[in-house]
Amino acid sequence: MSDLATRISDWDARYAGWARTQNVFDRIFRVGTGFFAVLVLVILGGVIVALIDGALPALRHFGWTFVTSESWNPVTENFGARAPIYGTLVTSLIAMLIGIPISFGIAIFITELCPPWLKRPVGVAIELLAGIPSIIYGIWGLFVFAPYLQSTLQPLLIDTLGEIPGIGKLFAGPPLGIGILTAGLILGIMVLPFITSIMRDVFETVPPMLKESAYGIGCTTWEVVWNVVLPYTRIGVVGGIMLGLGRALGETMAVTFVIGNAYKIQGSLLAPGTTISAALANEFTEAVGDLYLSSLIALGFILFVITLIVLALAKFMLIRLERRTGT
Amino acid sequence: MDLYARRRVVNTVILSLSFVATAIGLFWLAAILGTLITHGVGAMTPDLFTQMTPPPGSRGGLLNAIYGSVVMTAIATAVGAPVGVLAGTFLAEYARNSRFAEIVRFINDILLSAPSIIVGLFIYEVMVLRQGHFSAWAGAMALAIIVVPVVLRTTENMLSLVPGGLREAAAALGTPQWRVITEISYRAALQGLVTGVMLAVARVSGETAPLLFTALNNQFWNTNLDGPMANLPVVIFQFSMSPYADWQTLAWGGALLITVVVLVLNIAARVIASWSTVKQ
């Protein structure tokens, strides 16, 4: 009898020991994984601090004129960000004008028209567009797309829209192939997969009951999309567009190849220009002098702030939609 | 035309346009791949994989660049993937509906879409400036920062899909939580985790911008991680912007190589995800 009692207490002690070790492991695992989760916050914080730290000398030296001045002269060390900011915004705007309607069309096709067996292949093919590295878009843009535009679309634009007073200024000048318009068009292709995939996902969240009710009272497919699907998913669609915009603003390599690198704001969209990211890619390793380097980092800081705001807005909208649909 | 006919016409026109939009999207994919193949196949010789990057006007290959890309991608994945998996584990297993998880998720999604050139600037500030020289380590760290958010996001998604019942069954048998996670959750979500890592590798193997001022470039064979190292994307950038025809041919060869690798990884990741035991 006493033999059994000792065995039980012996076993109890061993179990307690095991439980204690497991507890320690549990705590290590919890703290360890938590540490890496915190690390993500630290990275973003670190990026912001490093950029501000690097940009300060230039921002102190130039003050607000850094944002408003158009001059960019490494020799006299006089730097202003107006031309790159202008280029970044205009190329992204063109990208959105091209990308949004096409993405919307593709999303409608995939969710409403496509036979089920074709859904996956088409969806994957569009997603693969997002997989292609941006440098590939760049080299393709420089050697194939830009010469093609130079010989076809650009002369056409100059002869038609260029003749109209007012907006004609936007399409003035020789067809160079490279320039702001070309960069914008390539960005438009690059943001397609991002906007499409969000639109597709949010369109899929519309309850079938709503759509079927609309079909039931005799709506056409387009009327269902316009009057039921789109109002229901409005926030998500805008969120997806903002996400695409965030991508377009920060895209570097594809733009660097075809933008032409001119620090000048010309009225024409056919003229070469520059963007913040292209300026960084082209000049950063060649920059001599602290002020020059700091000005480039200040450019990067401005880009980061712009994309941060756009992406944060995009996320807020998508989160709001998610809460409402309860997924 | 009566109202009914007009509505039908509007409907047909717009749906045809959506069909055209899809055709346009697919056309770009075909156009880019077609160009890459026609320009790049000519450069796909054994030389490409056995010779160093040449000076202009002489024959050569991309061996040092391929080596550099593989090494930096490998280091970036080895550093970034565990960080992403563990952080994703915390969010999905320990902090699921907490405020903290929401914040981390939000910041992570911003990092996921933030311009990659900014990551390059960050690493330049914290590593290259401090050490006083460009290095493969700096390049690898810049890529690692890009790996983390991709892996974190897929890990968290995949672990959230593991049914709670599995965890509860294990816990009811007296299994400590860390073993529930490592032996139940990880095992159930394994395909998903692998998919995330593969997508991250695909993403960084084509990244150029963060390497421009971290790893820089190197014309010669270099295995020293403390010095500048050649890598495919930057070599493609430099060679294609040059006026030399033989450099441009090599750039096309490199471009085709990277694209094939990236697309194969992307497709393989999707195939593996479709084997997954937990379905979305």
Side-chain angles (χ1 to χ4, degrees):
Chain A
M1 202 58 201
S2 69
D3 185 39
L4 185 62
T6 40
R7 275 172 63 190
I8 289 176
S9 75
D10 193 35
W11 207 91
D12 264 2
R14 270 165 59 193
Y15 174 75
W18 178 83
R20 230 173 291 137
T21 359
Q22 293 303 322
N23 247 332
V24 173
F25 274 121
D26 246 350
R27 212 164 296 158
I28 293 175
F29 203 73
R30 190 191 166 96
V31 171
T33 53
F35 168 77
F36 287 113
V38 173
L39 191 66
V40 172
L41 305 181
V42 173
I43 291 177
L44 188 81
V47 171
I48 295 174
V49 170
L51 286 180
I52 292 179
D53 181 52
L56 261 185
L59 294 179
R60 271 217 194 100
H61 188 270
F62 295 112
W64 277 109
T65 51
F66 184 75
V67 186
T68 53
S69 159
E70 203 186 314
S71 108
W72 187 269
N73 193 334
V75 182
T76 60
E77 295 218 308
N78 195 4
F79 301 105
R82 193 160 148 195
I85 293 176
Y86 168 84
T88 301
L89 296 180
V90 173
T91 49
S92 301
L93 182 71
I94 298 173
M96 291 296 111
L97 289 178
I98 305 290
I100 294 170
I102 298 184
S103 305
F104 184 51
I106 299 175
I108 295 180
F109 179 79
I110 293 177
T111 53
E112 308 293 331
L113 295 179
C114 189
W117 59 270
L118 199 61
K119 251 185 190 179
R120 211 173 135 71
V122 172
V124 170
I126 297 294
E127 280 168 23
L128 285 184
L129 267 181
I132 296 178
S134 66
I135 187 153
I136 306 298
Y137 283 94
I139 184 171
W140 174 79
L142 180 67
F143 288 109
V144 181
F145 195 52
Y148 176 76
L149 288 182
Q150 187 177 17
S151 58
T152 54
L153 181 69
Q154 291 189 347
L156 185 76
L157 286 176
I158 294 169
D159 290 341
T160 53
L161 295 176
E163 300 294 323
I164 305 171
I167 66 162
K169 272 211 309 257
L170 288 176
F171 302 98
L176 296 172
I178 56 173
I180 286 185
L181 180 68
T182 311
L185 290 176
I186 290 183
L187 283 179
I189 302 169
M190 294 182 74
V191 298
L192 275 187
F194 297 103
I195 305 182
T196 304
S197 82
I198 300 267
M199 282 193 185
R200 197 185 67 184
D201 289 349
V202 298
F203 285 177
E204 303 267 0
T205 64
V206 178
M209 200 67 81
L210 280 183
K211 290 202 290 193
E212 276 158 27
S213 313
Y215 280 122
I217 56 167
C219 285
T220 61
T221 308
W222 167 245
E223 284 163 350
V224 171
V225 169
W226 189 250
N227 298 315
V228 177
V229 174
L230 211 50
Y232 189 84
T233 56
R234 194 173 40 218
I235 319 171
V237 168
V238 177
I241 290 171
M242 302 282 274
L243 215 57
L245 179 61
R247 291 273 172 175
L249 289 167
E251 179 46 53
T252 309
M253 296 321 292
V255 174
T256 307
F257 273 91
V258 296
I259 190 84
N261 302 309
Y263 282 90
K264 225 170 129 194
I265 299 178
Q266 280 148 306
S268 173
L269 295 179
L270 305 182
T274 191
T275 68
I276 293 176
S277 46
L280 285 172
N282 269 315
E283 298 188 27
F284 201 83
T285 46
E286 288 155 21
V288 279
D290 289 343
L291 194 60
Y292 192 1
L293 209 58
S294 174
S295 300
L296 285 169
I297 295 175
L299 276 185
F301 177 65
I302 292 172
L303 174 67
F304 193 56
V305 171
I306 299 175
T307 46
L308 211 62
I309 293 170
V310 169
L311 293 174
L313 284 176
K315 274 310 290 178
F316 271 126
M317 287 173 177
L318 291 171
I319 288 173
R320 258 178 70 191
L321 184 80
E322 230 169 70
R323 288 232 176 94
R324 204 183 59 193
T325 53
T327 49
Chain B
M1 191 159 43
D2 68 347
L3 182 64
Y4 179 63
R6 205 172 70 216
R7 286 173 53 207
R8 298 241 340 228
V9 169
V10 168
N11 188 47
T12 315
V13 168
I14 291 182
L15 294 187
S16 323
L17 284 179
S18 92
F19 187 75
V20 171
T22 310
I24 291 175
L26 297 177
F27 168 76
W28 293 126
L29 185 68
I32 293 171
L33 294 183
T35 321
L36 276 177
I37 290 169
T38 50
H39 284 75
V41 155
M44 282 287 161
T45 58
D47 277 2
L48 192 79
F49 303 97
T50 55
Q51 306 274 313
M52 303 296 151
T53 47
S58 57
R59 290 164 50 81
L62 296 169
L63 178 61
N64 49 344
I66 294 172
Y67 171 83
S69 274
V70 170
V71 167
M72 280 189 270
T73 307
I75 296 176
T77 314
V79 174
V83 175
V85 168
L86 291 175
T89 306
F90 186 80
L91 298 193
E93 299 282 345
Y94 289 110
R96 193 168 276 189
N97 292 314
S98 69
R99 189 102 198 125
F100 174 73
E102 232 167 75
I103 296 170
V104 174
R105 207 172 291 137
F106 188 83
I107 299 294
N108 188 65
D109 279 353
I110 285 184
L111 278 179
L112 191 66
S113 319
S116 56
I117 196 159
I118 299 293
V119 175
L121 273 184
F122 169 61
I123 293 294
Y124 178 86
E125 283 267 310
V126 298
M127 285 183 77
V128 178
L129 266 187
R130 297 252 158 97
Q131 297 173 332
H133 55 83
F134 299 101
S135 71
W137 278 119
M141 289 307 119
L143 295 182
I145 291 184
I146 295 170
V147 167
V148 171
V150 182
V151 175
L152 193 160
R153 181 143 196 202
T154 38
T155 301
E156 199 209 340
N157 283 346
M158 291 301 157
L159 288 179
S160 312
L161 293 175
V162 176
L166 279 182
R167 294 189 189 93
E168 282 158 18
L173 295 174
T175 320
Q177 195 173 5
W178 73 278
R179 297 195 66 177
V180 174
I181 295 170
T182 51
E183 292 187 27
I184 307 293
S185 301
Y186 280 171
R187 205 175 279 188
L190 185 65
Q191 286 92 343
L193 304 190
V194 173
T195 306
V197 174
M198 287 176 76
L199 288 176
V201 172
R203 169 99 194 265
V204 295
S205 50
E207 276 292 351
T208 317
L211 294 176
L212 284 174
F213 24 85
T214 51
L216 202 66
N217 196 355
N218 194 333
Q219 210 184 326
F220 306 103
W221 177 254
N222 171 31
T223 55
N224 175 15
L225 289 169
D226 242 349
M229 191 182 265
N231 55 86
L232 272 179
V234 176
V235 167
I236 294 173
F237 179 47
Q238 192 193 348
F239 278 20
S240 57
M241 294 291 253
S242 78
Y244 312 111
D246 42 356
W247 271 18
Q248 289 179 1
T249 312
L250 278 179
W252 281 111
L256 179 60
L257 191 62
I258 284 193
T259 311
V260 168
V261 169
V262 168
L263 292 188
V264 166
L265 277 171
N266 263 298
I267 292 169
R270 284 180 172 78
V271 171
I272 290 178
S274 70
W275 297 338
S276 180
T277 39
V278 286
K279 294 278 183 219
Q280 292 209 317

